Amino acid sequence: MTLSWKERLDGAIAPDLAREIDIFETDLGLKKLGRLDDRLFAEERLRRGVYGQRYDNGRRHDGIRTRAIDYPQRGLTKGVDTLWDAPGMVRIKIPLGRLSADQLDVLAEVAEEHATGILHVTTRQDVQLHFVHIEDTPTLMRRLGAVGITTQEACGNVVRNVTACARAGTCGGEALDVTPYAEATARFLLGHEDAQDFGRKMKIAFSGCRGEACGLVRFHDLGCLAVTRTTPEGDVEHGFEVYVGGGLGAVPRQAQLLEPFVEVNELLPLTQAICRVFARLGEKKNRTRARLKFLVERLGLQRFAELVHAERARLPPDVRWRLDPEHLPSSDDVPLRAPSALTEPLSGPVARFASSNVRPQRQEGYVAVTVRLPLGDLTSDQARGLAALCRRFTGDTVRASVEQNLVVRWLPAADLPAFYEGLVALSLHAAGAGTLADVTACPGTDTCKLGISASRGLAAELERRIEAMLDRLDPVARSLRIKMSGCFNSCGQHHVADIGFLGVNRNVGRRRVPHFQLVVGGAWRNNGGTYGMRVAAYPARRIPELLERLISVWLEEREPDEPFATFILRAGRARLKAELQPFTEVPAYEDDPSFYTDWGDAREYTIGDKGVGECAGELVTSTQFGLAAAERILFEGQLAMDRGEPWAAADAAYAAMLRAARTLVKIKDQDVGTGADEVVEAFRVHLHETGVFHDRYAGGKFARYLLATHASPPDGADAPQARRHIEEATLFVEAAQACFVKLQDTPAQEIEA
Amino acid sequence: MNVQQVRIWLEAPRPVGPSLDLEPFLPLFHRWIQDDRISALVPIDVVDYRHLRDRPRVLLIAHHGHLCVERLGDGRVRLSFARKRDAIGDATERIAEALREVARAALRLGEVQALSQRLPFSRDRLGVAVHSRLVADRSAGSVAALSEAAATVVRSATGAPPARVVLDDAERAPLSLILELQAALDLDALALDGSPELVHG
């Protein structure tokens, strides 16, 4: 008999992660039985990276009319207006973009088995799979978990993937290798209780230097820029400049400097304090104003800093804060082979490839190779092939980059020709990484519910055209960056491109026409240090010729050595708009219907397929999650009873009461521990003796169930005892739900009284 | 063998002229959805992966499985159907059902005048793969079980067992076999064979 993946991988997954996946699988079952709230489940799955995709409301415009997709399990949903059977996207967190060969192999396998056989690298160093059925996700998570990858907190209102320069540790310009610090931050905040009650997501980035773009700290909620300072004793001390409140989207903001120097051991407590302030004071109702940037703006940087420092002073100490060398996570990113220099100069295709895709490392004799992925896509075969190449030449040294490429580090320079031949065999040898031809694009209307225009379709078309003329292009034009987003949420990071495009639409006659707003002059360098200027919207079909004209104007009119961004400022919006005016024209439908379709999509264009996004997640508090967890533990106890394991049922009943009690106590005492004695004592003081927990009719009866069970915990209970424990726990958890409602409805001062 | 996630493909030989442009498959697949040509598969969308340098492809995504047309490195065109979910029956029934779907798609493509000359799918060779590593782990036992099930399907479809079965030995790739047939597949008969509507599991 074939074992399930759960059975086969038993013991191969870290226990906490294995338990996490089991919980999600249980919740999938509960949701199918209708025993889990729609909104709660939606946020539960989002927090595990299980995301909606276009048409998951079961409606799709086929180019002629909107029609229903006839999914088998009609009526069953996996979140608000999201059908159970609709395939979705799974976002897989790759902290810092670090990937081992084994991880690449398993990603390739799950992409092949559960998705389309394509791995998509995002601008935040995640990997996304599309068209995945929700019932396949626990298996997918276990497969990934067995090689140390989690999807936990890849979406939802939590700390998202922590990103960092793909060249960290090998780059000549960095103040410090940020790898272990970013890694420690990612681990520390994953599932951290202080990072569960946000009104929106929080994005964190690390950069090793000020001038380059790889880390992009200036447009993150929290950005950590490595710096050094010299102590009065003359020692060089490492630390971080910490920035807060950056973000792109419809209201882009540059992050502001919160701290000019944070010593390494202070990084995690400061981050924790920021999380607490954001959770406590961040907007919760108006989702469009709920990111950290709005809180910083509302309070002012100085007040925000005061609150963070006050919070920091209150934090109970945590041994995990120590980040001096002996406490840092170890780095597996070590070279496989000894360094070696090239014995003769490169020539031919490999030389062309090296000129754009290869950079020497600061460690002599090694180079870092950028594997350019078209639109961030990699096939399963390519991923497997690349893993094999890495095993042969470099070891586990791959990192996904924020430009949707993969960087293979620690290649001995002398091995470059052989490595290149390996890439040729995999069709991964495209030159032009980091050039005009290397276009960044979010998923847009291909798969995203919020997409307005086909950013990937346009990006593919531009890449194709630019590729064909890249060698003929003026070298200064070759170095420009193009980035595009399918909507104002800006996942394609168009604000910081030399030439950015933002998907919009316009009415022409009685029809909709896909357009892109042109945004020019943004700075990719300096950590995404300047946002571009909006010019106007142009029909999608005209963008390729517009691009050509825009570059020509710059090349013709630039002062000697004048950078593109400087030219844009000098030329100004009005001049550019006038120059590009001819590209605004849309012919009548009868004359050219192609304008009424989008790139890479043959259907007549419509925005009727646009759905409700899940980027903002569902607003579910940690109290709601905690009470749901208590119910799940109780459900597991009932299942144990059914299996004839009364001792396990009684233990689960007690655990459910403790979980519910602690969840409520945390409203009054954020720092309550997890030990049973501490929880029950805090429950007695805050909720029992105050009468807050008491039922209108039963008084303190349900509270006493917990106190009595704690005084005499179940120990090998028989069936009648277990039944009593389950019944009492059921009533206790019900009372906890009622108490939560009461606490929400009662003014704060009344509760205090 | 408990065959899960089975994929079947047919290939058209390398064209004499320039490589086949995959662009026409975008409107064509959309039209199949509009015209309810594949409603039993519960179609969802058409996805454009022509930008890939490794086997550029266009996919028709459906609830039960994906149809894919891709151009291989040497210019050959491959048409495949990969069953993703809700398969029923034993191994041979599942392989036969996937073969029926790919046969139907090949015939539909043959109806398109511009493609019919360019896509003469070889009927004496087919590929079969099982994506699930859980049930098909490339062991000798798995290879034998899949070979036997696939041979049964071929015998039933053509009246003769395959002349040769070749294992794709690419490391870590899904278990894949190429079956060279003694007698040609009759796509028309295959398309009509069995239930005209794919059964939901």
Side-chain angles (χ1 to χ4, degrees):
Chain A
M1 193 181 141
T2 310
L3 293 175
S4 66
W5 277 115
K6 182 176 179 180
E7 292 160 327
R8 191 186 280 193
L9 297 174
D10 187 31
I13 309 172
D16 285 357
L17 180 54
R19 170 77 184 138
E20 248 298 303
I21 300 167
D22 288 347
I23 287 171
F24 182 56
E25 193 163 48
T26 302
D27 284 349
L28 276 172
L30 287 170
K31 183 71 186 79
K32 277 195 95 170
L33 292 169
R35 293 179 62 170
L36 210 55
D37 173 72
D38 225 28
R39 237 166 30 87
L40 185 90
F41 180 73
E43 180 66 9
E44 281 221 30
R45 70 173 159 77
L46 287 169
R47 289 192 183 195
R48 288 164 174 92
V50 180
Y51 211 85
Q53 211 177 292
R54 217 161 171 88
Y55 321 125
D56 65 10
N57 59 5
R59 293 184 294 280
R60 177 179 183 274
H61 198 275
D62 68 7
I64 298 171
R65 61 192 183 280
T66 297
R67 49 206 243 168
I69 300 174
D70 191 20
Y71 292 119
Q73 303 181 78
R74 288 172 213 134
L76 187 59
T77 62
K78 55 185 172 188
V80 186
D81 199 29
T82 307
L83 295 181
W84 186 265
D85 280 328
M89 179 264 276
V90 174
R91 182 175 295 149
I92 300 163
K93 250 180 160 175
I94 311 293
L96 299 70
R98 289 176 87 180
L99 284 164
S100 68
D102 286 351
Q103 289 173 333
L104 268 175
D105 274 335
V106 173
L107 283 165
E109 289 175 5
V110 295
E112 215 157 37
E113 294 180 32
H114 302 295
T116 54
I118 308 288
L119 287 75
H120 175 71
V121 174
T122 76
T123 53
R124 296 208 71 256
Q125 298 175 316
D126 295 297
V127 169
Q128 288 181 179
L129 307 180
H130 291 96
F131 301 102
V132 179
H133 195 282
I134 191 165
E135 287 177 6
D136 292 338
T137 54
T139 291
L140 191 150
M141 290 171 188
R142 288 192 180 101
R143 302 276 298 281
L144 295 171
V147 287
I149 297 179
T150 181
T151 64
Q152 199 185 340
E153 300 187 350
C155 308
N157 297 319
V158 284
V159 175
R160 300 290 187 85
N161 197 31
V162 174
T163 58
C165 333
R167 290 192 174 75
T170 67
C171 176
E174 66 189 5
L176 169 70
D177 177 4
V178 298
T179 304
Y181 303 97
E183 179 91 42
T185 305
R187 286 188 199 178
F188 178 68
L189 292 175
L190 182 68
H192 197 292
E193 288 192 332
D194 290 342
Q196 303 301 310
D197 253 336
F198 299 157
R200 283 293 305 270
K201 59 193 164 189
M202 181 188 279
K203 293 180 178 174
I204 300 179
F206 280 76
S207 177
C209 76
R210 200 177 299 282
E212 290 293 332
C214 326
L216 300 169
V217 300
R218 298 298 303 278
F219 63 70
H220 278 74
D221 295 286
L222 176 55
C224 304
L225 177 66
V227 288
T228 55
R229 71 179 177 190
T230 307
T231 64
E233 295 74 36
D235 296 329
V236 174
E237 195 181 0
H238 295 299
F240 292 92
E241 280 181 5
V242 172
Y243 292 82
V244 289
L248 298 178
V251 189
R253 291 283 182 275
Q254 284 276 316
Q256 300 180 59
L257 183 63
L258 179 74
E259 294 288 342
F261 191 90
V262 175
E263 60 165 302
V264 293
N265 282 324
E266 199 46 38
L267 182 66
L268 295 184
L270 180 76
T271 306
Q272 186 181 349
I274 291 169
C275 287
R276 280 192 170 199
V277 171
F278 181 44
R280 196 172 71 241
L281 300 175
E283 173 64 44
K284 299 279 167 53
K285 286 188 180 135
N286 182 353
R287 318 308 303 288
T288 61
R289 309 286 294 178
R291 290 288 292 273
L292 184 65
K293 62 187 173 186
F294 295 109
L295 179 64
V296 172
E297 199 166 75
R298 176 159 59 85
L299 295 172
L301 184 66
Q302 195 180 341
R303 177 68 186 137
F304 180 79
E306 287 166 8
L307 289 165
V308 168
H309 294 147
E311 196 65 58
R312 166 66 189 94
R314 276 197 294 271
L315 286 178
D318 188 330
V319 291
R320 295 174 298 171
W321 289 346
R322 298 289 301 276
L323 290 185
D324 29 33
E326 63 270 29
H327 292 91
L328 282 174
S330 66
S331 170
D332 301 327
D333 197 2
V334 288
L336 187 68
R337 295 183 172 201
S340 57
L342 276 166
T343 49
E344 53 189 72
L346 297 169
S347 61
V350 66
R352 181 172 178 268
F353 176 80
S355 68
S356 54
N357 295 42
V358 178
R359 274 208 217 172
Q361 293 189 184
R362 75 158 187 265
Q363 296 85 1
E364 206 172 324
Y366 288 105
V367 294
V369 178
T370 299
V371 178
R372 189 178 145 207
L373 306 179
L375 311 189
D377 289 347
L378 179 74
T379 68
S380 289
D381 287 336
Q382 288 176 318
R384 263 193 296 277
L386 187 62
L389 263 186
C390 290
R391 283 195 186 95
R392 186 174 150 209
F393 287 104
T394 66
D396 294 328
T397 62
V398 177
R399 295 208 188 177
S401 78
V402 293
E403 291 193 279
Q404 300 179 295
N405 292 322
L406 294 175
V407 178
V408 179
R409 305 134 51 95
W410 296 102
L411 179 72
D415 288 337
L416 180 58
F419 188 80
Y420 175 75
E421 286 310 312
L423 293 179
V424 170
L426 296 168
S427 302
L428 284 174
H429 59 294
T435 68
L436 189 70
D438 191 7
V439 179
T440 301
C442 72
T445 50
D446 274 21
T447 52
C448 177
K449 294 205 272 191
L450 296 173
I452 293 172
S453 301
S455 41
R456 275 168 62 88
L458 175 61
E461 182 62 22
L462 293 184
E463 282 205 352
R464 192 181 64 77
R465 293 185 189 213
I466 296 167
E467 196 85 52
M469 54 188 259
L470 192 62
D471 289 338
R472 299 195 307 276
L473 261 181
D474 189 311
V476 291
R478 224 180 289 162
S479 66
L480 296 177
R481 293 290 209 289
I482 300 175
K483 298 182 185 296
M484 56 187 71
S485 305
C487 79
F488 58 76
N489 284 295
S490 314
C491 299
Q493 303 174 342
H494 63 274
H495 293 290
V496 292
D498 295 294
I499 302 170
F501 296 104
L502 157 69
V504 293
N505 73 95
R506 295 286 182 267
N507 274 324
V508 177
R510 297 166 65 90
R511 297 174 193 271
R512 298 260 186 186
V513 177
H515 276 63
F516 281 91
Q517 181 106 233
L518 175 66
V519 180
V520 284
W524 176 240
R525 289 176 56 84
N526 302 324
N527 281 288
T530 313
Y531 296 157
M533 173 180 81
R534 287 189 188 197
V535 181
Y538 302 90
R541 286 286 153 190
R542 292 220 192 270
I543 297 297
E545 41 181 342
L546 173 146
L547 178 68
E548 218 169 300
R549 181 69 199 132
L550 178 64
I551 292 172
S552 299
V553 170
W554 170 51
L555 292 176
E556 286 159 15
E557 298 184 12
R558 68 194 285 252
E559 305 284 355
D561 298 327
E562 185 178 35
F564 184 76
T566 312
F567 166 76
I568 292 296
L569 282 177
R570 180 167 63 80
R573 197 190 315 260
R575 161 85 178 83
L576 290 170
K577 210 171 166 183
E579 183 66 42
L580 301 173
Q581 183 61 29
F583 301 103
T584 59
E585 286 169 20
V586 178
Y589 180 80
E590 294 70 24
D591 294 335
D592 191 348
S594 74
F595 275 76
Y596 300 78
T597 63
D598 212 339
W599 289 105
D601 190 340
R603 292 170 298 168
E604 189 161 308
Y605 178 76
T606 173
I607 56 163
D609 285 333
K610 198 167 161 283
V612 179
E614 296 193 316
C615 306
E618 291 293 333
L619 193 57
V620 179
T621 65
S622 59
T623 310
Q624 288 167 295
F625 272 123
L627 293 175
E631 297 214 24
R632 181 178 53 247
I633 296 167
L634 194 54
F635 177 71
E636 288 168 346
Q638 288 160 340
L639 293 180
M641 202 69 200
D642 295 344
R643 287 196 306 271
E645 297 170 3
W647 59 91
D651 289 347
Y654 178 35
M657 283 201 282
L658 284 173
R659 182 63 187 260
R662 182 169 186 271
T663 298
L664 290 181
V665 166
K666 271 186 75 71
I667 297 173
K668 314 289 292 179
D669 176 6
Q670 191 174 6
D671 295 319
V672 67
T674 53
D677 289 345
E678 194 180 344
V679 170
V680 173
E681 178 57 16
F683 175 81
R684 194 181 57 73
V685 170
H686 293 297
L687 299 172
H688 179 46
E689 289 179 353
T690 56
V692 170
F693 191 80
H694 292 185
D695 180 78
R696 190 170 169 191
Y697 302 106
K701 182 179 171 184
F702 305 135
R704 285 192 292 275
Y705 287 156
L706 173 65
L707 302 180
T709 308
H710 179 62
S712 176
D715 181 13
D718 59 19
Q721 288 168 330
R723 254 192 298 279
R724 179 177 58 78
H725 281 298
I726 290 279
E727 282 162 13
E728 288 180 359
T730 305
L731 291 166
F732 183 88
V733 173
E734 282 297 323
Q737 293 278 16
C739 179
F740 175 50
V741 172
K742 196 161 63 178
L743 286 170
Q744 283 181 307
D745 293 344
T746 312
Q749 60 275 30
E750 200 178 312
I751 297 172
E752 294 303 326
Chain B
M1 172 186 258
N2 173 23
V3 169
Q4 302 279 354
Q5 300 162 336
V6 64
R7 182 165 64 99
I8 298 282
W9 66 90
L10 298 172
E11 286 175 1
R14 184 180 181 174
V16 181
S19 297
L20 185 72
D21 180 8
L22 297 181
E23 199 279 332
F25 291 92
L26 291 169
L28 184 66
F29 282 172
H30 279 296
R31 206 153 52 239
W32 286 6
I33 299 175
Q34 289 160 353
D35 297 345
D36 287 327
R37 298 290 305 269
I38 49 159
S39 56
L41 292 176
V42 190
I44 296 166
D45 204 6
V46 179
V47 189
D48 182 3
Y49 284 122
R50 288 177 297 145
H51 54 275
L52 293 171
R53 294 181 183 93
D54 170 38
R55 304 194 337 242
R57 60 199 81 172
V58 175
L59 266 71
L60 197 165
I61 306 283
H63 177 76
H64 295 299
H66 308 333
L67 273 169
C68 175
V69 60
E70 59 194 319
R71 197 174 59 232
L72 309 188
D74 59 5
R76 282 176 295 151
V77 172
R78 179 181 288 176
L79 172 69
S80 63
F81 175 75
R83 179 79 188 206
K84 304 297 284 189
R85 299 199 55 76
D86 303 337
I88 56 165
D90 62 17
T92 54
E93 286 169 304
R94 292 175 184 197
I95 293 169
E97 183 233 43
L99 179 57
R100 265 198 304 278
E101 286 306 324
V102 86
R104 286 172 182 158
L107 289 174
R108 283 186 207 114
L109 292 177
E111 292 167 12
V112 182
Q113 205 171 3
L115 294 174
S116 58
Q117 297 302 310
R118 304 215 62 194
L119 289 179
F121 288 106
S122 302
R123 297 174 185 218
D124 54 2
R125 190 180 149 93
L126 74 102
V128 54
V130 178
H131 285 179
S132 168
R133 273 84 176 168
L134 189 66
V135 298
D137 56 3
R138 302 182 67 82
S139 65
S142 290
V143 174
L146 181 62
S147 301
E148 189 183 324
T152 303
V153 173
V154 166
R155 197 180 300 113
S156 162
T158 67
R164 191 159 166 252
V165 178
V166 182
L167 172 69
D168 175 0
D169 57 2
E171 203 183 348
R172 299 195 69 133
L175 175 56
S176 307
L177 305 174
I178 299 293
L179 289 88
E180 294 172 4
L181 313 186
Q182 296 185 57
L185 290 165
D186 180 344
L187 297 185
D188 295 283
L190 272 172
L192 291 172
D193 188 31
S195 162
E197 287 293 303
L198 191 145
V199 182
H200 295 179

